[in-house]
Amino acid sequence: MNLQKKNYEIITDELRRIIEAGLIKPGEKLDTIDQLAAQYRVGRSTVREALSHLKALGLVESRQGGGTYVKKPGLEPLAVLESLQNSNAELSQVLQTRKILEVGAAELAAKHRTAEDVEELGKIIGQMRDAVGNEEISRIYDTNFHLTIAKASGNAILKTMMMHISAAMFRTIKDSRKLRLYSGKDTAVKLFGEHMKLFEAIRDRDSKLAAVTMAKHLAQVENALYPVIRGDME
């Protein structure tokens, strides 16, 4: 056990190894939060953070009626996903894909979101607000917020495509946040504000504003990552 890691990271790594080893099959339900907390001797909030991280990586999903389940593997070859996560040159392709998918997802979410979608997005916004200044947790909530917008679009194919690139997307979010937050907590508050505006547009069913807000947000991500991308491509 690596004592340098935080408890939620240790649990995330352990559950990821179990899933990747096939000890819990796709479609099978994980133990409850209470059971995992007792097993690892940690608080329930620590287990929730670990599950949020696994969700951001596209390994598990929450289902209506309760419970967390192992996701079925996507159709994309693993090598492609690994290249998307590890190559800065491929990072530009992830950003292009995100712009194509997420601007439309935000517009559709504003048109088709249900009360349950608004509640779920609002819950994540609350988590993001409470986590301002805690970057390790913020990047996880950030990823889950974008995935939940795709879910709220009401388009099952779009949701599947977004989940399929979630691991690569997590890297763009992690790296862009790291580069944007160099100036400290004030920048973190500004970044939260961008997500809050996006949530409000979707909540208020303003599809045009939702699309514009998402486009501006992703432009900021692209601007932050441009030096990284250019450094790999030159």
Side-chain angles (χ1 to χ4, degrees), residues 11 17 20 28 33 38 42 65 68 72 75 81 93 95 100 105 108 113 131 145 148 156 168-170 173 195 203:
I11 297 171
R17 284 193 293 270
E20 291 177 344
E28 290 184 349
I33 290 176
V42 296
T68 303
K72 295 181 179 179
L75 301 176
L81 292 179
Q93 296 183 27
L95 284 170
I100 292 169
L108 286 174
R113 99 293 186 279
F145 180 77
T148 303
M169 185 175 72
F170 179 71
I173 288 175
H195 291 84
R203 180 197 63 195

Side-chain angles (χ1 to χ4, degrees), residues 42-67:
V42 296
R44 298 172 78 244
S45 62
T46 299
V47 174
R48 289 195 189 96
E49 289 173 7
L51 294 178
S52 291
H53 203 157
L54 291 172
K55 183 178 178 182
L57 293 172
L59 294 175
V60 302
E61 62 181 350
S62 298
R63 293 186 183 176
Q64 189 173 6

Side-chain angles (χ1 to χ4, degrees), residues 18-44:
I18 290 173
I19 292 170
E20 291 177 344
L23 298 179
I24 306 178
K25 306 295 184 184
E28 290 184 349
K29 186 178 180 181
L30 271 64
D31 288 340
T32 65
I33 290 176
D34 287 337
Q35 289 171 330
L36 290 171
Q39 177 182 344
Y40 290 103
R41 298 181 180 180
V42 296
R44 298 172 78 244

